[in-house]
Amino acid sequence: MTEHSEPTQPAQGQLVRRHRLSTRIWHWVNAVTLLVMLMSGLMIFNAHPRLYWGEYGANADAAWLEIGATQSGEGMLRIGGGAIRTTGVLGVWTDGEGKEKRRAFPSWSTIPSHYSLADARVWHLAFAWVLALGLLAYLVRSLLNGHIRRDLHITAREWRPSHIWHDIRDHARLRFPSGAAALHYNVLQKLSYIGVLFVLLPLIILTGLGMSPGTDAWAPWVTQGFGGRQSARSIHFIAAFLLVGFFLVHIVMVILAGPINEVRSMITGNYRLPKEKDDAK
Amino acid sequence: MSGSAKILTRRGLLRAGALGAGGLVLSGCDRLNDNSGFRSLLESAEGLHLRSQRLFGRDALAREFSPADLSPEFRANGNREVKDAAYRQQLASGFAGWTLKVDGLVEKPLALPLSALQAMPQRAQITRHDCVEGWSAIGKWQGPQLSHVLDVAGLKPQARFIVFHCADRFGSTPYYESIDMIDALHPQTILAWRMNDKVLPEKFGAPLRLRVERQLGYKHAKYVMRIEARESLDGLYGGKGGYWEDSSGYAWYAGI
């Protein structure tokens, strides 16, 4: 996170270097790529809005998740034995021209906005290369330049339950670090970034590969490792929504921590150290 | 330290970010989707898919399963019946007078009755059929290897693609598909006349369908009437090598 370790602690209110160029480029490429992957992925899901476990699964087989329409024309999301009405959002919704459509995800959330599995696959499978090669390049560079060891490594002290609990309480009270302490990731930040970098992103790439009949021929352990092609598809979908969850929390945290300063630091690399609040009791 | 280069980078990043966000909000993706230059850039990834799959698994075999893994019900997809009168007559007579034509860039064009295909060495395989839509079904297929049929006909050295001409139609266009020689000569590429230990039913492509196990379902042409060896896909309908490729922009290489 810091460009180099400072012998003296920088003062509050001072502008400091925070994010490397490689981190900043990767961040914004990923922001666009993940959005395209999500929206084109929702369109691909619309082609068969049912999820299964195991190797096979089609209409006659039991789905653990399904988005569709009831006989009375209500939108419905069914997970296991439970179903909720989702008319207007999922299953049954009205498009920009006021026409009722019966598709899982609505046109405002998909690429392209009109139904086209072929087009969505062209987008999804091209941007998949950007995501996979970008992650690979970033991980290799972060290992070599020490970013992972220096900024993401969780120390024994940070693993202590009392420390984690303290951090959770600080987050719940919206108390964010000030001064030089703001230059270091706290343990919850480290855990979420490690979860995304080393778990969710590799998982979503591997489950994507696990759905490919070509890859299944030369690397059957990928598909088999997830419990079959339909399980890989289900895990791919779950991982996508965990990434959406990360994105939402990430945006809320940026807004709470000071959106201008945070966004500037991810564009220019410069970050102004937050001041101690005088009125904090 | 060059300050100007840095400013350019920042401006570039800002502009790219603003364009990206604004374009998405204003459904710029739809406009990009219809932009032929951007579209061909995205479609160029198909070459990467083909080359990387061939690099890692040119001769790899698709996974085969046991009878216990069979789908209880195999979903039929695409055309499930053929309206053509000649086909209906052949179906009614158990394809007694029917022949498979093999022509194009071959030394000896063939007209093979079903009995000749059944008398050839057979391969049976239990494989997973992966539809482009996302669903899968496991079934058992049996028939001669395509490589054996091509051997009998004798491929000319210029032959680079094998095209399958089918009896089913979408509107007025008959279905057609094509594969290259790596898939055509692959041991699991068979012309199946048997499915799940019974004669292939109409909805699954009677009397004969292609199984090309390392690709998605739409490559597995049903109701195959004629096999043609070609040097190029130019001049074959829209030139992209298959019905869905020409009509809707699906990828010709469907290994992912």
Side-chain angles (χ1 to χ4, degrees), chain A residues 35 48 55-57 59 113 118-119 121 123 125 129 212 214-218 224 229-230, chain B residues 24 30 33 39 49 53 61 63 71-72 75 128 130 132-136 216 248 250 255-256:
Chain A
L35 192 61
H48 189 73
E55 285 287 0
Y56 66 79
N59 301 56
S113 62
D119 290 1
R121 278 174 55 84
W123 282 80
L125 300 176
W129 284 94
S212 146
T215 308
D216 194 18
W218 58 266
Q224 285 176 304
R229 185 190 191 229
Q230 292 304 319
Chain B
L24 287 168
D30 280 348
N33 192 52
R39 176 97 192 182
H49 302 147
Q53 292 289 339
L61 292 178
R63 212 138 47 91
S71 286
R75 175 177 161 177
R128 197 189 59 224
D130 295 334
V132 68
E133 292 174 339
W135 53 269
S136 307
L216 296 172
S248 311
Y250 283 92
I256 64 164

mmCIF file of all heavy atoms in Angstrom, chain A residues 35 48 55-57 59 113 118-119 121 123 125 129 212 214-218 224 229-230, chain B residues 24 30 33 39 49 53 61 63 71-72 75 128 130 132-136 216 248 250 255-256:
data_model
loop_
_atom_site.group_PDB
_atom_site.id
_atom_site.type_symbol
_atom_site.label_atom_id
_atom_site.label_comp_id
_atom_site.label_asym_id
_atom_site.label_seq_id
_atom_site.Cartn_x
_atom_site.Cartn_y
_atom_site.Cartn_z
ATOM 1 N N LEU A 35 -17.978 -5.711 -14.029
ATOM 2 C CA LEU A 35 -19.336 -5.255 -14.351
ATOM 3 C C LEU A 35 -19.813 -5.896 -15.653
ATOM 4 O O LEU A 35 -20.948 -6.380 -15.739
ATOM 5 C CB LEU A 35 -19.357 -3.722 -14.456
ATOM 6 C CG LEU A 35 -20.752 -3.095 -14.511
ATOM 7 C CD1 LEU A 35 -21.531 -3.418 -13.238
ATOM 8 C CD2 LEU A 35 -20.653 -1.580 -14.683
ATOM 9 N N HIS A 48 -31.134 -20.235 -19.410
ATOM 10 C CA HIS A 48 -31.601 -21.425 -18.681
ATOM 11 C C HIS A 48 -31.584 -21.067 -17.196
ATOM 12 O O HIS A 48 -30.605 -21.366 -16.498
ATOM 13 C CB HIS A 48 -30.702 -22.633 -18.980
ATOM 14 C CG HIS A 48 -31.259 -23.915 -18.438
ATOM 15 N ND1 HIS A 48 -32.343 -24.557 -19.000
ATOM 16 C CD2 HIS A 48 -30.921 -24.662 -17.351
ATOM 17 C CE1 HIS A 48 -32.625 -25.646 -18.298
ATOM 18 N NE2 HIS A 48 -31.774 -25.723 -17.295
ATOM 19 N N GLU A 55 -23.296 -33.594 -12.171
ATOM 20 C CA GLU A 55 -22.777 -33.492 -13.539
ATOM 21 C C GLU A 55 -23.843 -33.006 -14.516
ATOM 22 O O GLU A 55 -23.581 -32.200 -15.384
ATOM 23 C CB GLU A 55 -22.246 -34.843 -14.025
ATOM 24 C CG GLU A 55 -20.911 -35.270 -13.446
ATOM 25 C CD GLU A 55 -19.738 -34.479 -14.012
ATOM 26 O OE1 GLU A 55 -19.931 -33.586 -14.851
ATOM 27 O OE2 GLU A 55 -18.601 -34.764 -13.580
ATOM 28 N N TYR A 56 -25.053 -33.584 -14.409
ATOM 29 C CA TYR A 56 -26.098 -33.248 -15.378
ATOM 30 C C TYR A 56 -27.206 -32.478 -14.698
ATOM 31 O O TYR A 56 -27.307 -32.423 -13.466
ATOM 32 C CB TYR A 56 -26.646 -34.503 -16.065
ATOM 33 C CG TYR A 56 -27.388 -35.464 -15.149
ATOM 34 C CD1 TYR A 56 -28.707 -35.204 -14.762
ATOM 35 C CD2 TYR A 56 -26.779 -36.620 -14.682
ATOM 36 C CE1 TYR A 56 -29.393 -36.072 -13.926
ATOM 37 C CE2 TYR A 56 -27.447 -37.489 -13.843
ATOM 38 C CZ TYR A 56 -28.754 -37.207 -13.467
ATOM 39 O OH TYR A 56 -29.413 -38.062 -12.638
ATOM 40 N N GLY A 57 -28.066 -31.868 -15.490
ATOM 41 C CA GLY A 57 -29.209 -31.131 -14.987
ATOM 42 C C GLY A 57 -29.886 -30.450 -16.157
ATOM 43 O O GLY A 57 -29.238 -29.712 -16.904
ATOM 44 N N ASN A 59 -34.317 -29.658 -17.714
ATOM 45 C CA ASN A 59 -35.655 -29.310 -17.234
ATOM 46 C C ASN A 59 -36.348 -30.397 -16.422
ATOM 47 O O ASN A 59 -37.125 -30.091 -15.521
ATOM 48 C CB ASN A 59 -36.519 -28.905 -18.420
ATOM 49 C CG ASN A 59 -35.889 -27.731 -19.136
ATOM 50 O OD1 ASN A 59 -34.733 -27.819 -19.547
ATOM 51 N ND2 ASN A 59 -36.616 -26.641 -19.271
ATOM 52 N N SER A 113 -29.022 -5.556 -23.656
ATOM 53 C CA SER A 113 -30.271 -5.395 -22.900
ATOM 54 C C SER A 113 -31.391 -6.253 -23.495
ATOM 55 O O SER A 113 -32.270 -6.693 -22.774
ATOM 56 C CB SER A 113 -30.672 -3.925 -22.860
ATOM 57 O OG SER A 113 -30.906 -3.442 -24.161
ATOM 58 N N ALA A 118 -26.118 -15.477 -27.713
ATOM 59 C CA ALA A 118 -24.897 -15.462 -28.532
ATOM 60 C C ALA A 118 -24.072 -14.214 -28.233
ATOM 61 O O ALA A 118 -22.861 -14.292 -28.012
ATOM 62 C CB ALA A 118 -25.260 -15.522 -30.016
ATOM 63 N N ASP A 119 -24.725 -13.040 -28.200
ATOM 64 C CA ASP A 119 -24.002 -11.793 -27.952
ATOM 65 C C ASP A 119 -23.407 -11.779 -26.541
ATOM 66 O O ASP A 119 -22.265 -11.356 -26.344
ATOM 67 C CB ASP A 119 -24.933 -10.581 -28.119
ATOM 68 C CG ASP A 119 -25.331 -10.367 -29.576
ATOM 69 O OD1 ASP A 119 -24.900 -11.163 -30.429
ATOM 70 O OD2 ASP A 119 -26.076 -9.407 -29.852
ATOM 71 N N ARG A 121 -22.465 -14.242 -24.737
ATOM 72 C CA ARG A 121 -21.303 -15.131 -24.681
ATOM 73 C C ARG A 121 -20.067 -14.485 -25.316
ATOM 74 O O ARG A 121 -18.947 -14.648 -24.829
ATOM 75 C CB ARG A 121 -21.608 -16.462 -25.384
ATOM 76 C CG ARG A 121 -22.369 -17.437 -24.512
ATOM 77 C CD ARG A 121 -22.776 -18.674 -25.297
ATOM 78 N NE ARG A 121 -21.654 -19.339 -25.951
ATOM 79 C CZ ARG A 121 -20.848 -20.227 -25.348
ATOM 80 N NH1 ARG A 121 -21.051 -20.554 -24.092
ATOM 81 N NH2 ARG A 121 -19.866 -20.789 -26.013
ATOM 82 N N TRP A 123 -19.330 -11.308 -25.332
ATOM 83 C CA TRP A 123 -18.806 -10.371 -24.321
ATOM 84 C C TRP A 123 -18.137 -11.129 -23.173
ATOM 85 O O TRP A 123 -17.012 -10.830 -22.781
ATOM 86 C CB TRP A 123 -19.950 -9.530 -23.733
ATOM 87 C CG TRP A 123 -20.431 -8.403 -24.573
ATOM 88 C CD1 TRP A 123 -21.292 -8.490 -25.632
ATOM 89 C CD2 TRP A 123 -20.114 -7.008 -24.425
ATOM 90 N NE1 TRP A 123 -21.527 -7.233 -26.140
ATOM 91 C CE2 TRP A 123 -20.828 -6.313 -25.425
ATOM 92 C CE3 TRP A 123 -19.304 -6.291 -23.547
ATOM 93 C CZ2 TRP A 123 -20.753 -4.922 -25.570
ATOM 94 C CZ3 TRP A 123 -19.236 -4.909 -23.684
ATOM 95 C CH2 TRP A 123 -19.941 -4.245 -24.693
ATOM 96 N N LEU A 125 -16.991 -14.198 -22.761
ATOM 97 C CA LEU A 125 -15.816 -15.036 -22.986
ATOM 98 C C LEU A 125 -14.612 -14.221 -23.456
ATOM 99 O O LEU A 125 -13.477 -14.659 -23.297
ATOM 100 C CB LEU A 125 -16.152 -16.158 -23.976
ATOM 101 C CG LEU A 125 -17.290 -17.078 -23.495
ATOM 102 C CD1 LEU A 125 -17.649 -18.102 -24.558
ATOM 103 C CD2 LEU A 125 -16.914 -17.787 -22.200
ATOM 104 N N TRP A 129 -10.839 -13.361 -20.541
ATOM 105 C CA TRP A 129 -9.380 -13.317 -20.714
ATOM 106 C C TRP A 129 -8.788 -12.137 -19.954
ATOM 107 O O TRP A 129 -7.724 -12.262 -19.344
ATOM 108 C CB TRP A 129 -9.022 -13.213 -22.196
ATOM 109 C CG TRP A 129 -9.177 -14.504 -22.938
ATOM 110 C CD1 TRP A 129 -10.275 -14.909 -23.642
ATOM 111 C CD2 TRP A 129 -8.217 -15.563 -23.038
ATOM 112 N NE1 TRP A 129 -10.062 -16.157 -24.176
ATOM 113 C CE2 TRP A 129 -8.811 -16.583 -23.831
ATOM 114 C CE3 TRP A 129 -6.924 -15.755 -22.545
ATOM 115 C CZ2 TRP A 129 -8.141 -17.770 -24.132
ATOM 116 C CZ3 TRP A 129 -6.262 -16.936 -22.857
ATOM 117 C CH2 TRP A 129 -6.871 -17.921 -23.631
ATOM 118 N N SER A 212 -16.560 -25.695 -19.405
ATOM 119 C CA SER A 212 -16.174 -25.830 -20.808
ATOM 120 C C SER A 212 -15.963 -27.300 -21.166
ATOM 121 O O SER A 212 -15.145 -27.991 -20.545
ATOM 122 C CB SER A 212 -14.877 -25.045 -21.035
ATOM 123 O OG SER A 212 -14.056 -25.679 -21.993
ATOM 124 N N GLY A 214 -14.441 -28.474 -23.673
ATOM 125 C CA GLY A 214 -13.069 -28.626 -24.147
ATOM 126 C C GLY A 214 -12.112 -28.790 -22.983
ATOM 127 O O GLY A 214 -11.274 -29.699 -22.967
ATOM 128 N N THR A 215 -12.226 -27.917 -21.976
ATOM 129 C CA THR A 215 -11.347 -27.998 -20.811
ATOM 130 C C THR A 215 -11.591 -29.289 -20.037
ATOM 131 O O THR A 215 -10.656 -29.896 -19.527
ATOM 132 C CB THR A 215 -11.576 -26.783 -19.895
ATOM 133 O OG1 THR A 215 -11.467 -25.599 -20.674
ATOM 134 C CG2 THR A 215 -10.565 -26.738 -18.761
ATOM 135 N N ASP A 216 -12.846 -29.700 -19.976
ATOM 136 C CA ASP A 216 -13.171 -30.922 -19.228
ATOM 137 C C ASP A 216 -12.447 -32.132 -19.801
ATOM 138 O O ASP A 216 -12.193 -33.108 -19.094
ATOM 139 C CB ASP A 216 -14.690 -31.152 -19.228
ATOM 140 C CG ASP A 216 -15.103 -32.191 -18.189
ATOM 141 O OD1 ASP A 216 -14.319 -32.480 -17.273
ATOM 142 O OD2 ASP A 216 -16.221 -32.720 -18.309
ATOM 143 N N ALA A 217 -12.086 -32.085 -21.112
ATOM 144 C CA ALA A 217 -11.369 -33.209 -21.722
ATOM 145 C C ALA A 217 -9.917 -33.263 -21.226
ATOM 146 O O ALA A 217 -9.431 -34.341 -20.877
ATOM 147 C CB ALA A 217 -11.423 -33.112 -23.241
ATOM 148 N N TRP A 218 -9.228 -32.113 -21.197
ATOM 149 C CA TRP A 218 -7.797 -32.172 -20.820
ATOM 150 C C TRP A 218 -7.543 -31.866 -19.354
ATOM 151 O O TRP A 218 -6.466 -32.157 -18.835
ATOM 152 C CB TRP A 218 -6.940 -31.293 -21.729
ATOM 153 C CG TRP A 218 -7.296 -29.827 -21.770
ATOM 154 C CD1 TRP A 218 -8.111 -29.223 -22.670
ATOM 155 C CD2 TRP A 218 -6.819 -28.790 -20.900
ATOM 156 N NE1 TRP A 218 -8.199 -27.875 -22.413
ATOM 157 C CE2 TRP A 218 -7.404 -27.580 -21.333
ATOM 158 C CE3 TRP A 218 -5.951 -28.747 -19.800
ATOM 159 C CZ2 TRP A 218 -7.172 -26.354 -20.704
ATOM 160 C CZ3 TRP A 218 -5.713 -27.533 -19.175
ATOM 161 C CH2 TRP A 218 -6.319 -26.356 -19.633
ATOM 162 N N GLN A 224 -14.509 -32.076 -12.080
ATOM 163 C CA GLN A 224 -14.752 -33.088 -11.045
ATOM 164 C C GLN A 224 -14.516 -32.529 -9.645
ATOM 165 O O GLN A 224 -15.217 -32.891 -8.711
ATOM 166 C CB GLN A 224 -13.847 -34.300 -11.279
ATOM 167 C CG GLN A 224 -14.306 -35.165 -12.445
ATOM 168 C CD GLN A 224 -13.332 -36.300 -12.718
ATOM 169 O OE1 GLN A 224 -12.142 -36.064 -12.940
ATOM 170 N NE2 GLN A 224 -13.823 -37.521 -12.698
ATOM 171 N N ARG A 229 -20.265 -30.615 -13.775
ATOM 172 C CA ARG A 229 -20.452 -29.380 -14.544
ATOM 173 C C ARG A 229 -21.569 -28.512 -13.971
ATOM 174 O O ARG A 229 -21.442 -27.296 -13.902
ATOM 175 C CB ARG A 229 -20.765 -29.706 -15.997
ATOM 176 C CG ARG A 229 -20.835 -28.428 -16.838
ATOM 177 C CD ARG A 229 -21.368 -28.674 -18.238
ATOM 178 N NE ARG A 229 -21.165 -27.489 -19.070
ATOM 179 C CZ ARG A 229 -22.117 -26.938 -19.822
ATOM 180 N NH1 ARG A 229 -23.328 -27.450 -19.824
ATOM 181 N NH2 ARG A 229 -21.861 -25.879 -20.553
ATOM 182 N N GLN A 230 -22.667 -29.130 -13.562
ATOM 183 C CA GLN A 230 -23.771 -28.315 -13.046
ATOM 184 C C GLN A 230 -23.433 -27.741 -11.677
ATOM 185 O O GLN A 230 -23.850 -26.627 -11.350
ATOM 186 C CB GLN A 230 -25.068 -29.126 -13.019
ATOM 187 C CG GLN A 230 -25.589 -29.474 -14.413
ATOM 188 C CD GLN A 230 -25.806 -28.248 -15.294
ATOM 189 O OE1 GLN A 230 -26.293 -27.216 -14.839
ATOM 190 N NE2 GLN A 230 -25.432 -28.348 -16.556
ATOM 191 N N LEU B 24 -21.837 2.853 -19.790
ATOM 192 C CA LEU B 24 -22.655 1.774 -19.245
ATOM 193 C C LEU B 24 -24.018 2.286 -18.831
ATOM 194 O O LEU B 24 -25.044 1.690 -19.136
ATOM 195 C CB LEU B 24 -21.944 1.140 -18.036
ATOM 196 C CG LEU B 24 -20.746 0.269 -18.382
ATOM 197 C CD1 LEU B 24 -19.951 -0.055 -17.134
ATOM 198 C CD2 LEU B 24 -21.193 -1.001 -19.067
ATOM 199 N N ASP B 30 -25.046 -1.529 -25.491
ATOM 200 C CA ASP B 30 -25.855 -1.926 -26.645
ATOM 201 C C ASP B 30 -25.270 -1.344 -27.921
ATOM 202 O O ASP B 30 -25.257 -1.986 -28.964
ATOM 203 C CB ASP B 30 -27.307 -1.474 -26.471
ATOM 204 C CG ASP B 30 -28.067 -2.421 -25.552
ATOM 205 O OD1 ASP B 30 -27.534 -3.507 -25.265
ATOM 206 O OD2 ASP B 30 -29.179 -2.066 -25.132
ATOM 207 N N ASN B 33 -22.231 -3.174 -28.689
ATOM 208 C CA ASN B 33 -22.640 -4.507 -29.154
ATOM 209 C C ASN B 33 -22.920 -4.489 -30.660
ATOM 210 O O ASN B 33 -22.668 -5.466 -31.357
ATOM 211 C CB ASN B 33 -23.885 -4.936 -28.377
ATOM 212 C CG ASN B 33 -24.218 -6.407 -28.573
ATOM 213 O OD1 ASN B 33 -23.377 -7.266 -28.386
ATOM 214 N ND2 ASN B 33 -25.439 -6.674 -28.982
ATOM 215 N N ARG B 39 -17.205 -5.322 -32.000
ATOM 216 C CA ARG B 39 -17.709 -6.685 -32.070
ATOM 217 C C ARG B 39 -16.632 -7.660 -32.577
ATOM 218 O O ARG B 39 -16.424 -8.721 -32.003
ATOM 219 C CB ARG B 39 -18.920 -6.678 -33.007
ATOM 220 C CG ARG B 39 -19.511 -7.993 -33.278
ATOM 221 C CD ARG B 39 -20.673 -8.231 -32.389
ATOM 222 N NE ARG B 39 -21.055 -9.620 -32.460
ATOM 223 C CZ ARG B 39 -22.073 -10.130 -31.826
ATOM 224 N NH1 ARG B 39 -22.797 -9.353 -31.051
ATOM 225 N NH2 ARG B 39 -22.360 -11.390 -31.928
ATOM 226 N N HIS B 49 -9.528 -18.981 -27.751
ATOM 227 C CA HIS B 49 -10.164 -20.168 -27.159
ATOM 228 C C HIS B 49 -9.729 -21.424 -27.910
ATOM 229 O O HIS B 49 -9.310 -22.408 -27.310
ATOM 230 C CB HIS B 49 -11.694 -20.051 -27.237
ATOM 231 C CG HIS B 49 -12.237 -18.843 -26.561
ATOM 232 N ND1 HIS B 49 -13.353 -18.183 -27.000
ATOM 233 C CD2 HIS B 49 -11.798 -18.145 -25.493
ATOM 234 C CE1 HIS B 49 -13.584 -17.146 -26.215
ATOM 235 N NE2 HIS B 49 -12.655 -17.098 -25.298
ATOM 236 N N GLN B 53 -7.195 -24.216 -26.254
ATOM 237 C CA GLN B 53 -7.726 -25.567 -26.028
ATOM 238 C C GLN B 53 -6.908 -26.599 -26.801
ATOM 239 O O GLN B 53 -6.641 -27.695 -26.292
ATOM 240 C CB GLN B 53 -9.200 -25.644 -26.448
ATOM 241 C CG GLN B 53 -10.152 -24.841 -25.570
ATOM 242 C CD GLN B 53 -10.352 -25.446 -24.187
ATOM 243 O OE1 GLN B 53 -10.123 -26.615 -23.965
ATOM 244 N NE2 GLN B 53 -10.771 -24.626 -23.233
ATOM 245 N N LEU B 61 -9.227 -36.874 -24.570
ATOM 246 C CA LEU B 61 -10.533 -37.523 -24.709
ATOM 247 C C LEU B 61 -11.533 -36.884 -23.749
ATOM 248 O O LEU B 61 -11.190 -36.575 -22.603
ATOM 249 C CB LEU B 61 -10.420 -39.016 -24.382
ATOM 250 C CG LEU B 61 -9.615 -39.880 -25.346
ATOM 251 C CD1 LEU B 61 -9.565 -41.315 -24.835
ATOM 252 C CD2 LEU B 61 -10.228 -39.837 -26.743
ATOM 253 N N ARG B 63 -14.480 -36.836 -21.097
ATOM 254 C CA ARG B 63 -14.723 -37.773 -20.003
ATOM 255 C C ARG B 63 -15.864 -38.728 -20.375
ATOM 256 O O ARG B 63 -16.842 -38.315 -20.981
ATOM 257 C CB ARG B 63 -15.108 -36.985 -18.760
ATOM 258 C CG ARG B 63 -14.695 -37.584 -17.480
ATOM 259 C CD ARG B 63 -14.157 -36.533 -16.520
ATOM 260 N NE ARG B 63 -14.960 -35.339 -16.400
ATOM 261 C CZ ARG B 63 -15.928 -35.180 -15.494
ATOM 262 N NH1 ARG B 63 -16.238 -36.152 -14.672
ATOM 263 N NH2 ARG B 63 -16.578 -34.041 -15.418
ATOM 264 N N SER B 71 -28.538 -39.629 -17.420
ATOM 265 C CA SER B 71 -29.678 -38.787 -17.053
ATOM 266 C C SER B 71 -30.948 -39.627 -17.115
ATOM 267 O O SER B 71 -31.147 -40.367 -18.084
ATOM 268 C CB SER B 71 -29.827 -37.629 -18.053
ATOM 269 O OG SER B 71 -28.831 -36.674 -17.848
ATOM 270 N N PRO B 72 -31.830 -39.503 -16.104
ATOM 271 C CA PRO B 72 -33.095 -40.248 -16.167
ATOM 272 C C PRO B 72 -33.895 -39.860 -17.406
ATOM 273 O O PRO B 72 -34.551 -40.705 -18.022
ATOM 274 C CB PRO B 72 -33.828 -39.822 -14.891
ATOM 275 C CG PRO B 72 -32.783 -39.227 -14.007
ATOM 276 C CD PRO B 72 -31.695 -38.704 -14.882
ATOM 277 N N ARG B 75 -32.942 -34.410 -22.323
ATOM 278 C CA ARG B 75 -33.753 -33.361 -22.930
ATOM 279 C C ARG B 75 -33.489 -33.302 -24.440
ATOM 280 O O ARG B 75 -32.340 -33.232 -24.878
ATOM 281 C CB ARG B 75 -33.409 -32.011 -22.297
ATOM 282 C CG ARG B 75 -34.142 -30.861 -22.973
ATOM 283 C CD ARG B 75 -33.873 -29.518 -22.320
ATOM 284 N NE ARG B 75 -34.217 -28.448 -23.263
ATOM 285 C CZ ARG B 75 -34.151 -27.155 -22.968
ATOM 286 N NH1 ARG B 75 -33.752 -26.758 -21.772
ATOM 287 N NH2 ARG B 75 -34.464 -26.257 -23.877
ATOM 288 N N ARG B 128 -21.286 -36.629 -21.547
ATOM 289 C CA ARG B 128 -22.166 -35.546 -21.093
ATOM 290 C C ARG B 128 -22.354 -34.566 -22.242
ATOM 291 O O ARG B 128 -21.393 -34.070 -22.814
ATOM 292 C CB ARG B 128 -21.538 -34.852 -19.887
ATOM 293 C CG ARG B 128 -22.517 -33.994 -19.096
ATOM 294 C CD ARG B 128 -21.770 -33.171 -18.063
ATOM 295 N NE ARG B 128 -20.798 -32.333 -18.748
ATOM 296 C CZ ARG B 128 -19.548 -32.150 -18.340
ATOM 297 N NH1 ARG B 128 -19.116 -32.709 -17.246
ATOM 298 N NH2 ARG B 128 -18.730 -31.393 -19.036
ATOM 299 N N ASP B 130 -23.378 -31.024 -23.336
ATOM 300 C CA ASP B 130 -23.450 -29.699 -22.716
ATOM 301 C C ASP B 130 -24.085 -28.718 -23.680
ATOM 302 O O ASP B 130 -23.519 -28.414 -24.731
ATOM 303 C CB ASP B 130 -22.044 -29.209 -22.346
ATOM 304 C CG ASP B 130 -21.403 -30.072 -21.266
ATOM 305 O OD1 ASP B 130 -22.152 -30.688 -20.478
ATOM 306 O OD2 ASP B 130 -20.162 -30.120 -21.213
ATOM 307 N N VAL B 132 -25.328 -25.040 -24.994
ATOM 308 C CA VAL B 132 -24.857 -23.663 -24.889
ATOM 309 C C VAL B 132 -25.699 -22.869 -23.892
ATOM 310 O O VAL B 132 -25.234 -21.909 -23.286
ATOM 311 C CB VAL B 132 -24.850 -22.996 -26.292
ATOM 312 C CG1 VAL B 132 -26.265 -22.812 -26.822
ATOM 313 C CG2 VAL B 132 -24.114 -21.668 -26.273
ATOM 314 N N GLU B 133 -26.941 -23.309 -23.685
ATOM 315 C CA GLU B 133 -27.814 -22.598 -22.737
ATOM 316 C C GLU B 133 -27.399 -22.813 -21.288
ATOM 317 O O GLU B 133 -27.781 -22.038 -20.418
ATOM 318 C CB GLU B 133 -29.258 -23.077 -22.901
ATOM 319 C CG GLU B 133 -29.868 -22.668 -24.222
ATOM 320 C CD GLU B 133 -31.253 -23.264 -24.447
ATOM 321 O OE1 GLU B 133 -31.589 -24.286 -23.803
ATOM 322 O OE2 GLU B 133 -31.985 -22.712 -25.249
ATOM 323 N N GLY B 134 -26.661 -23.892 -21.022
ATOM 324 C CA GLY B 134 -26.196 -24.123 -19.664
ATOM 325 C C GLY B 134 -26.573 -25.473 -19.084
ATOM 326 O O GLY B 134 -25.961 -25.918 -18.123
ATOM 327 N N TRP B 135 -27.574 -26.153 -19.644
ATOM 328 C CA TRP B 135 -27.961 -27.440 -19.065
ATOM 329 C C TRP B 135 -27.098 -28.566 -19.642
ATOM 330 O O TRP B 135 -26.423 -28.386 -20.653
ATOM 331 C CB TRP B 135 -29.456 -27.726 -19.291
ATOM 332 C CG TRP B 135 -29.943 -27.625 -20.699
ATOM 333 C CD1 TRP B 135 -30.447 -26.523 -21.310
ATOM 334 C CD2 TRP B 135 -29.958 -28.675 -21.694
ATOM 335 N NE1 TRP B 135 -30.777 -26.816 -22.610
ATOM 336 C CE2 TRP B 135 -30.500 -28.114 -22.873
ATOM 337 C CE3 TRP B 135 -29.587 -30.014 -21.690
ATOM 338 C CZ2 TRP B 135 -30.660 -28.867 -24.046
ATOM 339 C CZ3 TRP B 135 -29.749 -30.765 -22.858
ATOM 340 C CH2 TRP B 135 -30.282 -30.183 -24.011
ATOM 341 N N SER B 136 -27.125 -29.723 -18.968
ATOM 342 C CA SER B 136 -26.350 -30.893 -19.403
ATOM 343 C C SER B 136 -27.186 -32.145 -19.243
ATOM 344 O O SER B 136 -28.050 -32.208 -18.357
ATOM 345 C CB SER B 136 -25.089 -31.083 -18.553
ATOM 346 O OG SER B 136 -24.322 -29.922 -18.506
ATOM 347 N N LEU B 216 -19.961 -27.879 -27.645
ATOM 348 C CA LEU B 216 -21.326 -27.690 -27.150
ATOM 349 C C LEU B 216 -22.349 -28.321 -28.095
ATOM 350 O O LEU B 216 -22.052 -28.635 -29.256
ATOM 351 C CB LEU B 216 -21.619 -26.201 -26.974
ATOM 352 C CG LEU B 216 -20.757 -25.492 -25.913
ATOM 353 C CD1 LEU B 216 -20.985 -23.989 -25.952
ATOM 354 C CD2 LEU B 216 -21.050 -26.028 -24.513
ATOM 355 N N SER B 248 -27.185 -16.264 -35.944
ATOM 356 C CA SER B 248 -27.269 -15.546 -34.671
ATOM 357 C C SER B 248 -25.938 -15.106 -34.084
ATOM 358 O O SER B 248 -25.922 -14.493 -33.023
ATOM 359 C CB SER B 248 -27.984 -16.422 -33.629
ATOM 360 O OG SER B 248 -29.178 -16.950 -34.159
ATOM 361 N N TYR B 250 -23.408 -17.144 -33.031
ATOM 362 C CA TYR B 250 -22.750 -18.073 -32.110
ATOM 363 C C TYR B 250 -21.370 -18.418 -32.652
ATOM 364 O O TYR B 250 -21.148 -18.392 -33.866
ATOM 365 C CB TYR B 250 -23.576 -19.357 -31.958
ATOM 366 C CG TYR B 250 -24.770 -19.187 -31.051
ATOM 367 C CD1 TYR B 250 -26.005 -18.827 -31.553
ATOM 368 C CD2 TYR B 250 -24.635 -19.352 -29.682
ATOM 369 C CE1 TYR B 250 -27.104 -18.651 -30.714
ATOM 370 C CE2 TYR B 250 -25.716 -19.175 -28.835
ATOM 371 C CZ TYR B 250 -26.941 -18.823 -29.363
ATOM 372 O OH TYR B 250 -28.008 -18.639 -28.534
ATOM 373 N N GLY B 255 -15.947 -25.063 -27.992
ATOM 374 C CA GLY B 255 -15.349 -25.899 -26.952
ATOM 375 C C GLY B 255 -15.443 -25.276 -25.569
ATOM 376 O O GLY B 255 -15.060 -25.876 -24.579
ATOM 377 N N ILE B 256 -15.951 -24.031 -25.512
ATOM 378 C CA ILE B 256 -16.128 -23.399 -24.198
ATOM 379 C C ILE B 256 -17.528 -22.806 -24.101
ATOM 380 O O ILE B 256 -18.178 -22.606 -25.112
ATOM 381 C CB ILE B 256 -15.086 -22.300 -23.904
ATOM 382 C CG1 ILE B 256 -15.220 -21.129 -24.875
ATOM 383 C CG2 ILE B 256 -13.687 -22.851 -23.957
ATOM 384 C CD1 ILE B 256 -14.508 -19.925 -24.366
#
